[in-house]
Amino acid sequence: MDTLSNSSSVSEFILLGLCSSQELQILFFAMFFLVYIAIIVGNLLIVITVIFDNHLHSPMYFLLANLSFFDLCLSSVATPKVIADFLRKHKTISLWGCMAQMFFMHFFGGGEMSLLIAMAIDRYVAICKPLHYKTIMNHRVLMVFLLLSWAIGFTHTTSQMAFTVGLPFCGPNVVDSIFCDLPLVIKLACTETYILELLVIADSGLLSLVCFILLLVSYIIMLVTIRQHSSSASSKAVSTLSAHITVVILFFVPAIFIYAFPFNSYSVDKFLSVFYSIITPLLNPIIYTLRNQEMKAAIKRLSSQYIGSWLDL
Ligand SMILES: *[C@@H]1O[C@H](CO)[C@@H](O)[C@H](O)[C@H]1NC(C)=O
């Protein structure tokens, strides 16, 4: 009866990290550390600005703030440990720590994916049904979108992790990456994992591919629609849309590479995993704040208000 727990003799995994050179490790430590701080500051700034500035109380900015919140969570799942690991000679992680990393990465990743779809729907309604925008994108619809994002993230991760937590690990326990991810860990199980590999390809790879294509097509339709109504507002709309498209590409392309063709070459995956730990969560605030006039104006208002009240004290 107890064969499963007996054969599961591995209690921790060894992470190889990005490279073995001591000097580069210190460089990576400094780089990741600074970028992680920028991620926290940038995304918190977006969340705080949207919540406190009345001009930004629109569905698009609420969704953007929630995206920033997901970015904060996504980058905090593994990055702090990745940073600390750069200074460690032996980078180990417990079996359950590894499972938790995979669970939460896919939880927040799935949620973020759903939110990107919600943001596309929001822009679609704004551009293709402008007269009905206020009635369609009301508070209740927004709340449903948000709840759905959390629910989809949860369903997505649970559907894969339910079959992963029970895997027996008895053999090699070396993960050639900076954190645990499904394709790498599943490969280490000492059992037949063919079905599970297919499940991950379908659940993470194909899903990302299909969402990516649908999102690109819908953004192209919106761009074409804007060009037909050549108005003064259209250049602003084009710049908003191109920001959204950039974020969509940055989020989905690495995911498609990692999960849609996962079980043959891992060396690339290691560098793609850097995307989800520091690059994507950093670029979202950069893209949305630096290129967005309303956001910049709101941050200025907020900071002058804050400094003003501080001087009054
Ligand atoms: C998410 O969006 C809702 C609007 O439906 C908003 O009330 C909430 O403050 C947002 N959450 C964050 C973290 O920005």
Side-chain angles (χ1 to χ4, degrees), residues 47 51 62 65-66 69 139 142-143 146:
V47 170
I51 289 177
F62 277 137
N66 280 275
F69 182 71
H139 188 67
L142 211 54
M143 279 303 165
L146 292 181

Side-chain angles (χ1 to χ4, degrees), residues 74-86:
L74 187 64
S75 66
S76 299
V77 172
T79 313
K81 176 166 165 45
V82 169
I83 293 170
D85 274 350
F86 281 127

